Amino acid sequence: MRPRYPTRQYVQYEMAAEIIKVFHGKHVPLLVQTEDYAQGVLRAAGHVHEAEATTRARMKRQEILLKTDPPYLWILIDQEVLECPVAGREVMKEQMARLLEVAELPRVCVRIVPREAGWHPGHDGPFQVLRVRGREIAYAGAQIDGRLIEAGEQADVLAIRFDQIGAMALSRTVSHDLIERTMRTYE
C-alpha cells in the first residue's frame, strides 16, 4: 500500500498560500516534522519502501517556511501527539526541539490542545485550511486518502472547526512550556 499523498494541486496551493492553518491530532504536521520523525511515522504505518522518497518530498515542502515572504502558519496539535513516541526517545527529543524552534519564527504559531479539553471537532480527523489569493481552500485527511476542497461551504466549515479547536488550545506561551516539559521526558 502506498502512503497517502496530498494532491499535486494541494501542494501547489500550499506553495502559494498566504496563510496555512493545520490541525492534527495523531502526529506532528508534515511542515514541521524532522526527517527522522517523518521516516518513523511512515515506517510505523507500513510504508517502509517509500519512507525515504516520501520523507525527501516532505522536507522539500518545508522550504516554504524559508521563503523571503513565508506564509503565516498556524498549527494546532493534540497533547497526545507530544507524548506518543515515534521512532524512539532521541527522535522525539529532536522533534520537540524542532517544534520549539519553528514556534519562534515570526509567522508561526504552535498551540497545543490539552487532553483536558476532551472531545473537539478535530476528532473527526486532520485537516488544513489555506488562504490562497483571498479564497479558502481546505484539505481533509482520511485513512486511505485525503480530499481537496476548493470552494464552498465545506471549506468554510473546516475554517470554523479550526477556530473552535483553537478556542480550546493552550496559549502560545503555555504551549511552549508544555513542549519543553515533554521534551525533557525524552532525555
Side-chain angles (χ1 to χ4, degrees):
M1 178 167 75
R2 295 183 61 219
R4 176 170 39 96
Y5 297 107
T7 67
R8 176 172 287 148
Q9 183 64 50
Y10 173 82
V11 174
Q12 290 174 342
Y13 284 140
E14 186 179 73
M15 296 300 287
E18 298 109 32
I19 300 171
I20 301 173
K21 296 179 179 180
V22 180
F23 166 76
H24 212 298
K26 297 299 179 191
H27 60 71
V28 173
L30 305 180
L31 290 177
V32 294
Q33 289 179 359
T34 64
E35 194 169 334
D36 289 337
Y37 183 92
Q39 285 201 12
V41 167
L42 290 163
R43 291 178 193 285
H47 305 301
V48 176
H49 300 296
E50 300 92 352
E52 286 188 38
T54 304
T55 298
R56 279 193 304 276
R58 288 181 179 186
M59 298 303 108
K60 180 83 173 146
R61 284 174 60 194
Q62 291 181 8
E63 291 177 9
I64 65 169
L65 299 178
L66 305 175
K67 293 185 341 184
T68 304
D69 190 24
Y72 288 93
L73 176 62
W74 295 80
I75 297 172
L76 297 173
I77 55 177
D78 282 338
Q79 181 176 353
E80 290 80 9
V81 171
L82 305 179
E83 299 165 347
C84 180
V86 172
R89 299 177 78 71
E90 191 59 38
V91 170
M92 288 304 294
K93 182 179 172 187
E94 180 183 294
Q95 181 60 68
M96 296 302 108
R98 172 74 175 148
L99 280 174
L100 292 170
E101 173 190 327
V102 169
E104 294 299 318
L105 295 173
R107 292 189 176 198
V108 177
C109 179
V110 176
R111 294 178 55 213
I112 307 301
V113 182
R115 184 179 299 99
E116 295 79 32
W119 186 93
H120 59 72
H123 283 214
D124 286 342
F127 63 92
Q128 292 85 242
V129 179
L130 312 178
R131 169 77 55 166
V132 181
R133 291 181 285 285
R135 70 181 187 131
E136 297 210 311
I137 298 183
Y139 186 83
Q143 282 289 322
I144 304 300
D145 199 7
R147 187 167 61 99
L148 182 65
I149 304 163
E150 296 188 72
E153 193 175 301
Q154 291 179 332
D156 295 339
V157 167
L158 288 176
I160 290 168
R161 285 185 183 174
F162 187 87
D163 291 342
Q164 289 171 326
I165 298 166
M168 297 176 174
L170 301 171
S171 71
R172 292 173 84 157
T173 302
V174 176
S175 293
H176 183 278
D177 293 346
L178 179 59
I179 295 167
E180 274 189 336
R181 281 195 315 274
T182 304
M183 185 171 75
R184 286 194 295 272
T185 69
Y186 291 112
E187 293 179 344

